């Protein structure tokens, strides 16, 4: 921890990174040394590491990222056991090295959940989240069939709360951080977003049943209100969405009627 | 030999062109629809909206994106908002006014008919998105709220907090997911288009690489849609996502699709400056900051006192000085250029002198910290997260960055490229923004193309072809697959010593220096010697680690960089050929005595559509004249 | 589709609503909450009853007699409690097993950022309570493991039991476990049933913690005071 290093923002780090060749491989941690600068983002630090690996002819560390501004939800892994790293409510692409110090040792581990198989190194397959949306995370409206927008009045408060839930970026950190590997925050966010709006009412009960069932079938765990998910969620999705989902689910379980075949048959 | 460029603009009065055209389109028999297969590459606003709509109509759709989920297309990053001529604020807005503003904003280099249609369907977009549950901002009475954006004189911008693009995209994504569940759309994520396949002069399919297994596959269809976004990453550093690429449109260009106006690049004035060599992308700060922030640089060159120690009379509020009426709200291209001049003059601030101050001290004094926090709190937070400075106390540092590419594949009024059966939507085409795009109009265009134009024009096209002809075993597919495999092998076999990324950075450096905010004959000529040289070096010295049949991010990047090289050359060629300054293309030779862009309507009021003539050959220029029947060309002035 | 099935006379056997509910994570959790309410109410009532020991042995013995005066009521209560514990424990254990399936490969390191210790140990405090209750019934209801059991003399039985330091210690540990369980359980149960509101939830959370603390301390005070010789 030399004084010089501190002053010009250069830091030497030791990284223990999960390396796994493919889905089948068992994987292991491999230790790397890297020199970073406090103005870099965390992913830029990994870029620097990867450049040096390429030049040495070693395979660089695979990690997902795209927008690198915290909105696409593509990036994410655990740094020393914390999803998206030590800064709360921010994605790892928005994490900057000034939050670390010279000499730190950091462990980089991928999201772990049965529903998120590891594809390579820190890259996981989150398509289960897409399938949860496919089960009902939408409002059925045909293109061109919409009524005049101001014909639907939406209470400002409901609209604001719907927006808060809709802010979810689909990163999967909630699943990763949850001790039960539950996707409750993610699913609750969509159920809440659509359930708060008048447009979302017609399908509200069927939606929650289908999405929750899909989540379970994908192998996500259940929620016991531990709250780690909301603590790491980069989009500030509040825990309340889970409770709303539960309420809708309970109501739906006992009130939804069996589908009746449409008149005239198939 | 050269095909005449027919823009297929329907006859008749401007306001009736689109409805008349739709009324005369051919229809596909409902029972036959599912026999038609359409490939849609891209799941951004344009692609997702198009796939979902075609799926609903009953077509068999195959959708692709390179991210792990369609929801991550870069449309997600748009912050500001989306325009629509709803006139909810009763401030005199109308379809015509939105049309006119967009044409004028584009510096009179866009087609009247396309832009009018865009303004016309803008109102349907809002209806559609609201019905989907997009949580737009609302008034206390429950109606939709608007704000004014990008210097417009009316309030016509709809927004969902600072995440409008995200919410619109999620609306389209959800519609797409619904169709996937219904079985009308098949989604292939982490699957990158590598080649377009043309059979008997028609676009018939694509060849892709599965980014997890490395498998090269052919997909056949009756029509192909490219909605693959912009090519700003040719400059390496831009506000685009890391993965944004030009491969899809570039491969289509090489197969015969004309590339229009590649040189029109929008450089956004308010981005966070780069902090060092390792910088991987640039982050946009919403333009709205300029409403209450004042832009300045020190009057003295190389003045490196901390900003707060520079007295008022030693500061140059250059935008207020040069443009007294618009001041800090001068349009994007104008503000960007002025920032560059200040920095070129040695008065830039921050690392490398590449930055100017955006100062909120006066705003805070005038309105109080609380109001400023309400308006910009989340942006300030984002700035502080990235830079580490507190904008309430220290002026922000900003600098222009490449943001949007107005050019793209040439399309006619039906959004069909010069290859029949190949349609192009969203930022990937050149259609609606002329030489410069106004704020909040790209989201509008993406959704207009995807929901309201392509589904009709594609149906019309399909009605004229027989469904399901041919096989993926056709020679054209075999050849295309071989080419793709050949490229992969060539990259893996190069065994050089430099990473693809290092080449990309170097290319970006050349582009920014020689073909950035101020272009000249000399700089472009220099670029046109440097780029081919670097490209040759690339294919000899690039080092791609790993194997082809695996998740290999280096290989993905290497392929994209290869295409950026060729596109960069075309971009500079176009910039050199356009001897005028307009919108996002500023040639230092063509400026008024006081340094403003000087258009040359007599000679350059045309769309430059370039035809690929083979590697190492000069591309051929086709001109589509721009005819203005409804408006008079005027000089943009913001003084 | 279903019309055709009807005509063929072969309606596929659909699981009942309750079966589907039980099968779902949210449904199971709601049933845990409902049974948890019953169990919590019992614990609170029992706690208030037990406090009478401080009013002298006569008071609590009278109370015991009163409780036992109506066998129908007491058996009904026992059946309800047994059913509640059964549902609660089975659901709890099943959900716990799901948790392991949901993350088959454990993290090398996972930090808790805000999750409370009680919230992460529900299954263990629950199991502890289960063992405790079995022992407890054998100790103070049937007297099987009590050193000097006298029917309907709870004050005597309690003191007799807690004079053995090991038994008293077990009780104290179990009460800490119970406190943990209620600390999180009573808060969580509102969410499981969808009863949250930003205005009240923080209050519910504090209330649950307070209730858990009071019940645990109050209950545990009995063995403590017996050991200290204050009671007895
Ligand atoms: C930071 C930022 C802020 C913006 N703010 C605004 C704003 O406020 N208002 C506004 O109107 N506009 C804004 N814009 C512009 C606007 O967001 C974009 O122009 C628009 O969203 C582009 O949409 P798209 O559908 O054409 O492409 P994209 O959303 O970029 O989608 C491209 C799709 O193509 C896929 N793809 C690309 N290449 C391939 C390939 N080779 N193979 C397979 N798939 C491929 C990608 O996976 C992706 O799904 C902003 C842009 C940025 C970068
Ligand atoms: C008097 C005894 C008990 C009381 C008062 C009680 C109370 C509660 C309450 C109120 C909850 C919260 C339920 C919810 O969040 O919906 C809960 C959860 C739980 N209980 Fe109990 N419980 C008791 C006994 C047990 C037993 C015997 C077990 C298991 C062997 C157990 C295991 C659990 C588990 C695992 C949870 C967490 C479940 C979850 O949150 O998903 N409990 N308990
Ligand atoms: C220190 C704490 C406790 C004391 C002193 C205590 C005391 C007693 C006594 C004296 C009885 C017998 C009553 C009678 O038969 O007349 C009893 C019964 C019982 N107690 Fe407790 N108890 C304590 C804690 C608990 C706890 C925490 C639970 C549950 C989690 C519990 C559950 C029961 C049950 C189920 C019975 C049997 C009721 C019946 O069926 O008759 N007790 N307790
Ligand atoms: S709820 Fe939050 S943590 Fe979970 S996927 Fe959405 S944004 Fe990520
Ligand atoms: S951390 Fe897990 S237990 Fe529930 S509250 Fe969050 S999903
Ligand atoms: S890369 Fe898009 S959120 Fe991090």
């Amino acid at each position: 921890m030399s004084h010089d290093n501190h002053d010009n923002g250069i830091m030497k780090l030791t990284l223990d990174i999960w390396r796994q060749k493919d889905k089948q491989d068992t994987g292991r941690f491999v230790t790397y040394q890297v020199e970073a600068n406090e103005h870099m983002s965390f992913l830029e630090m990994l870029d620097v590491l990867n450049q040096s690996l390429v030049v040495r002819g070693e395979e660089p560390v695979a990690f997902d990222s795209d927008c690198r501004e915290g909105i696409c939800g593509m990036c994410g892994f655990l740094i020393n056991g914390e999803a998206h790293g030590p800064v709360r409510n921010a994605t790892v692409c928005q994490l900057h090295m000034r939050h670390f110090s010279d000499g730190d040792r950091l462990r980089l581990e991928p999201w772990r959940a049965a529903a998120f198989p590891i594809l390579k190194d820190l890259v996981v397959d989150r398509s289960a989240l897409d399938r949860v949306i496919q089960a009902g995370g939408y409002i059925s409206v045909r293109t061109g069939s919409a009524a005049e927008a101001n014909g639907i009045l939406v209470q400002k408060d409901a609209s604001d709360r719907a927006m808060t839930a809709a802010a979810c970026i689909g990163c999967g950190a909630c699943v990763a951080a949850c001790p039960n590997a539950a996707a409750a925050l993610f699913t609750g966010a969509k159920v809440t977003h659509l359930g708060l709006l008048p447009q979302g009412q017609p399908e509200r009960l069927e939606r929650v049943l289908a999405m929750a069932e899909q989540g379970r079938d994908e192998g996500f765990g259940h929620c016991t209100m531990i709250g780690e998910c909301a603590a790491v969620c980069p989009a500030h999705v509040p825990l309340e969405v889970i409770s709303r989902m539960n309420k809708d689910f309970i109501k739906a379980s006992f009130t939804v009627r069996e589908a009746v075949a449409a008149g005239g048959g198939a | 030999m050269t095909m005449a460029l027919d823009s297929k603009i329907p006859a008749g009065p401007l306001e009736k062109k689109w409805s008349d055209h739709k009324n005369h389109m051919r229809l596909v028999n409902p029972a036959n629809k599912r026999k038609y297969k359409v490939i849609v590459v891209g799941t951004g606003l344009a692609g997702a909206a198009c796939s979902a709509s075609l799926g609903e109509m009953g077509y068999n759709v195959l959708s692709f994106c390179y991210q792990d989920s369609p929801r991550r297309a870069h449309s997600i990053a748009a912050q500001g908002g989306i325009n629509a001529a709803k006139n909810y604020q009763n401030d005199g807005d109308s379809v015509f006014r939105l049309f006119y503003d967009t044409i004028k904003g584009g510096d009179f280099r866009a087609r009247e008919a396309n832009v009018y249609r865009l303004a016309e369907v803008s109102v349907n977009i809002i209806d559609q998105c609201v019905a989907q549950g997009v949580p737009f901002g609302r008034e206390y009475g429950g109606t939709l709220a608007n704000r004014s954006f990008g210097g417009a004189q009316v309030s016509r911008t709809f927004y969902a907090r600072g995440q409008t693009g995200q919410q619109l995209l999620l609306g389209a994504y959800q519609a797409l997911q619904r169709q996937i569940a219904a079985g009308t759309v098949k989604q292939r994520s982490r699957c990158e288009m590598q080649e377009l396949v043309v059979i008997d002069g028609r676009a018939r399919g694509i060849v892709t690489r599965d980014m997890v297994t490395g498998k090269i596959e052919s997909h056949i269809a009756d029509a192909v849609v490219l909605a693959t976004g912009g090519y700003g990453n040719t400059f390496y550093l831009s506000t685009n996502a890391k993965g944004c690429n030009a491969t899809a449109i570039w491969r289509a260009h090489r197969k015969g699709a004309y590339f229009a106006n590649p040189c029109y690049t929008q450089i956004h004035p308010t981005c966070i400056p780069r902090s060092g060599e390792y910088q991987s992308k640039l982050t946009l700060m919403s333009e709205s900051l300029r409403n209450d922030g004042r832009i300045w640089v020190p009057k003295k060159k190389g003045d490196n006192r901390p900003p707060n120690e520079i007295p008022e009379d030693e500061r140059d509020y250059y935008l207020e000085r040069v443009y007294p009426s618009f001041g800090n709200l001068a349009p994007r291209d104008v503000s960007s250029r002025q920032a560059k001049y200040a920095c070129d003059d040695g008065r830039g601030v921050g690392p490398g002198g590449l930055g100017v101050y955006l100062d909120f001290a006066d705003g805070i004094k005038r309105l109080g910290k609380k109001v400023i926090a309400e308006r910009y709190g989340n942006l300030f937070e984002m700035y502080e997260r990235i830079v580490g400075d507190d904008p309430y106390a220290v002026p922000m540092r900003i600098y222009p960055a490449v943001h949007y590419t107005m050019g793209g594949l040439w399309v006619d009024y039906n959004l069909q490229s010069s290859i029949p059966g190949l349609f192009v939507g969203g930022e990937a085409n050149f259609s609606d923004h002329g030489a410069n795009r106004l704020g909040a109009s790209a989201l509008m265009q993406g959704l207009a193309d995807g929901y309201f134009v392509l589904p009709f024009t594609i149906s019309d096209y399909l009605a004229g072809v027989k469904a399901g002809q041919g096989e993926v075993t056709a020679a054209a597919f075999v050849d295309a697959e071989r080419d793709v495999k050949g490229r992969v092998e060539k990259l893996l076999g190069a065994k050089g010593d430099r990473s693809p990324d290092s080449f990309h950075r170097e290319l970006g450096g050349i582009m920014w220096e020689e073909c950035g905010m101020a272009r000249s004959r000399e700089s472009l000529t220099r670029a046109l010697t440097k780029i081919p040289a670097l490209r040759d070096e690339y294919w000899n010295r690039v080092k791609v680690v790993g194997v082809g049949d695996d998740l290999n991010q280096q290989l993905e990047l290497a392929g994209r960089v290869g295409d950026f090289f060729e596109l960069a050359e075309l971009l500079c060629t176009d910039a050199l050929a356009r001897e005028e300054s307009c919108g996002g293309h500023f040639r230092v030779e063509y400026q008024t005595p006081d340094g403003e862009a000087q258009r040359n309507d007599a000679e350059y009021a045309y769309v430059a559509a370039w035809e690929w003539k083979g590697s190492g050959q000069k591309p051929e220029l086709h001109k589509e004249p721009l005819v203005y029947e409804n408006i008079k060309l005027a000089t943009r002035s913001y003084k | 589709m279903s019309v055709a099935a009807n005509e063929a006379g072969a309606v596929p056997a659909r699981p009942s609503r309750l079966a589907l509910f039980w099968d779902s994570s949210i449904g199971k959790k709601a049933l845990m909450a409902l049974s948890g309410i019953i169990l919590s109410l019992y614990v609170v009532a029992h706690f208030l009853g037990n406090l009478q020991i401080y009013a002298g042995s006569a008071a609590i013995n009278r109370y015991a007699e009163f409780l036992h005066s109506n066998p129908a009521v007491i058996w009904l209560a026992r059946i309800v409690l047994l059913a509640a514990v059964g549902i609660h424990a089975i659901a709890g254990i099943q959900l716990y097993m799901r948790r392991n399936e949901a993350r088959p490969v454990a993290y090398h390191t996972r930090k808790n950022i805000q999750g409370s210790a009680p919230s992460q140990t529900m299954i263990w405090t629950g199991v502890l309570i289960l063992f405790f209750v079995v022992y407890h019934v054998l100790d103070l209801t049937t007297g099987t493991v009590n050193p000097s059991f006298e029917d309907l003399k709870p004050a005597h039985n309690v003191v007799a039991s807690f004079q053995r330091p090991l038994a008293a210690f077990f009780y104290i540990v179990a009460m800490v476990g119970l406190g943990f369980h209620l600390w999180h359980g009573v808060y969580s149960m509102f969410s499981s049933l969808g009863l949250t509101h930003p205005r009240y939830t923080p209050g519910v959370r504090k209330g649950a913690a307070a209730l858990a603390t009071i019940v645990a301390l109050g209950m545990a005070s009995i063995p403590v005071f017996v050991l200290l010789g204050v009671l007895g």
Side-chain angles (χ1 to χ4, degrees), chain A residues 180 222-225, chain C residues 28-43 85 88-93 95-96 119 121-131 133 178 181-182 184-193:
Chain A
N180 307 318
H222 66 294
C223 171
T224 58
M225 284 313 282
Chain C
K28 246 193 227 316
K29 193 68 198 306
L31 292 173
M32 286 195 76
L34 289 175
S35 52
I37 292 177
I38 296 173
L39 297 174
S40 305
L41 288 177
Y42 173 77
V43 167
V85 168
H88 190 84
I90 292 171
I93 291 166
L95 286 178
Y96 181 72
S119 71
T121 48
M122 287 302 276
I123 184 70
W124 306 119
T125 50
V127 168
L128 175 63
I129 296 170
L130 194 64
F131 281 118
V133 170
L178 178 72
H181 204 82
L182 291 178
H184 181 68
V186 171
Y187 151 72
S188 159
M189 139 187 124
F190 281 86
S191 174
S192 298
L193 297 174

Side-chain angles (χ1 to χ4, degrees), chain A:
Chain A
M1 224 309 193
S2 81
H3 201 73
D4 284 8
N5 279 0
H6 191 76
D7 280 347
N8 57 23
I10 301 288
M11 51 182 95
K12 287 204 171 68
L13 302 169
T14 305
L15 305 174
D16 296 304
I17 305 180
W18 183 258
R19 303 301 308 258
Q20 180 173 334
K21 210 183 134 16
D22 52 28
K23 253 189 207 176
Q24 284 72 41
D25 188 18
T26 42
R28 74 220 63 85
F29 284 100
V30 178
T31 304
Y32 299 92
Q33 309 291 332
V34 64
E35 194 166 284
N37 150 331
E38 65 170 9
H39 299 293
M40 292 177 171
S41 74
F42 200 88
L43 298 187
E44 283 166 352
M45 181 275 290
L46 286 183
D47 289 342
V48 168
L49 170 69
N50 278 346
Q51 290 304 305
S52 69
L53 293 179
V54 169
V55 173
R56 293 212 303 260
E58 286 177 44
E59 255 208 77
V61 178
F63 62 91
D64 266 333
S65 80
D66 201 31
C67 74
R68 296 214 177 177
E69 50 184 281
I71 190 74
C72 75
M74 185 103 173
C75 64
F77 43 80
L78 275 75
I79 302 173
N80 283 349
E82 293 175 283
H84 286 307
V87 174
R88 296 282 73 82
N89 304 112
T91 53
V92 69
C93 63
Q94 289 182 296
L95 173 64
H96 282 255
M97 294 311 292
R98 77 181 79 89
H99 299 288
F100 299 91
S101 348
D102 192 27
D104 277 358
R105 182 169 193 132
L106 308 175
R107 182 175 299 277
L108 275 52
E109 201 169 359
W111 290 170
R112 290 194 190 278
F116 290 169
I118 295 173
L119 297 176
K120 183 170 184 162
D121 301 344
L122 302 173
V123 177
V124 303
D125 176 356
R126 283 168 293 198
S127 54
L129 297 181
D130 285 329
R131 290 187 293 275
V132 168
I133 299 293
Q134 275 158 35
Y138 47 73
I139 289 171
S140 300
V141 51
R142 210 172 253 280
T143 304
S145 68
E148 156 57 36
N150 259 349
I152 314 166
L153 296 182
V154 183
Q155 253 189 351
K156 181 165 165 42
D157 171 62
S159 170
D160 286 347
R161 283 160 61 210
M163 177 61 223
T164 300
C168 164
I169 62 172
C171 63
C174 46
V175 178
C178 173
N180 307 318
L185 197 67
F186 171 83
T187 315
K190 192 47 65 191
V191 166
T192 301
H193 159 210
L194 299 176
L196 277 167
L197 297 172
Q199 304 94 297
Q201 296 314 309
E203 294 164 295
R204 180 170 171 184
L205 298 181
E206 282 83 358
R207 174 183 308 124
V208 67
L209 289 179
M211 290 180 72
E213 184 174 326
Q214 187 68 33
R216 201 204 45 187
D217 293 350
E218 293 292 344
F220 291 112
H222 66 294
C223 171
T224 58
M225 284 313 282
I226 293 173
E228 287 294 292
C229 52
V232 301
C233 172
H236 300 264
V237 173
L239 219 45
E240 193 191 351
V241 301
I242 297 179
S243 168
R244 274 194 70 93
M245 167 172 70
N246 293 343
K247 177 152 73 188
D248 281 2
F249 183 91
I250 294 169
K251 180 166 176 213
S253 291
F254 295 99
T255 57
V256 167
R257 300 177 180 214
E258 307 306 332
V260 175

Side-chain angles (χ1 to χ4, degrees), chain B residues 471-537:
Chain B
E471 298 287 339
V472 282
T473 48
F477 280 99
V478 176
D479 290 349
E481 277 197 31
R482 199 189 44 234
D483 290 350
V484 171
K485 284 181 186 145
R487 255 197 324 273
V488 167
E489 276 157 24
K490 190 167 166 197
L491 286 168
L492 288 169
K495 301 285 174 246
D497 56 358
R498 277 185 66 181
S499 70
D501 195 65
S502 74
F503 279 101
H504 193 187
R505 261 174 224 272
E506 192 173 338
L507 172 66
I510 297 174
M511 292 302 288
W512 181 248
E513 280 309 312
E514 314 286 22
C515 191
M517 280 180 281
R519 304 160 173 180
S520 68
R521 187 167 302 111
E522 293 73 48
S523 75
L524 293 166
T525 316
R526 263 196 313 273
L528 284 170
T529 50
K530 285 188 198 167
I531 296 168
L534 187 63
R535 186 188 57 216
D536 290 344
E537 185 183 338

Side-chain angles (χ1 to χ4, degrees), chain B residues 415-461:
Chain B
L415 305 186
Q416 183 166 232
S417 71
S418 54
I419 302 175
L422 178 69
F423 294 79
V424 191
E427 195 174 337
N429 72 25
F430 89 107
S431 73
D432 296 351
H433 306 295
N436 177 48
R437 176 180 71 81
L438 282 188
S441 59
L443 300 180
M444 171 171 74
Q445 182 227 336
L447 290 178
D449 290 359
Y451 285 129
F452 298 110
V453 180
L454 286 167
F456 290 100
T457 60
I458 291 173
S459 289
D460 181 47
Y461 169 81

Side-chain angles (χ1 to χ4, degrees), chain A residues 69 71 94 236, chain B residues 77-81 147 149 159-164 268 270-273 283-293 358 360 371-392 394-398:
Chain A
E69 50 184 281
I71 190 74
Q94 289 182 296
H236 300 264
Chain B
Q79 306 166 344
R147 59 181 165 213
F149 196 73
Y159 60 93
R161 278 191 204 148
Q163 288 134 279
T164 317
H268 199 291
T270 53
C271 300
I272 300 178
T283 303
L284 176 75
M285 299 295 293
S286 169
E287 219 165 359
S288 62
L289 289 170
R290 292 199 277 148
N291 290 331
D292 293 308
L358 176 59
F360 288 87
V371 176
I372 294 289
E374 264 166 29
R375 290 192 187 160
Y376 311 109
N378 58 341
L379 292 166
F380 279 27
E381 230 172 77
M382 172 162 116
Y383 180 85
E384 187 168 1
R385 190 143 54 204
I386 294 175
V387 180
D389 286 346
D390 173 10
Y392 294 105
V394 187
M396 284 185 177
R397 279 181 296 111
I398 54 165

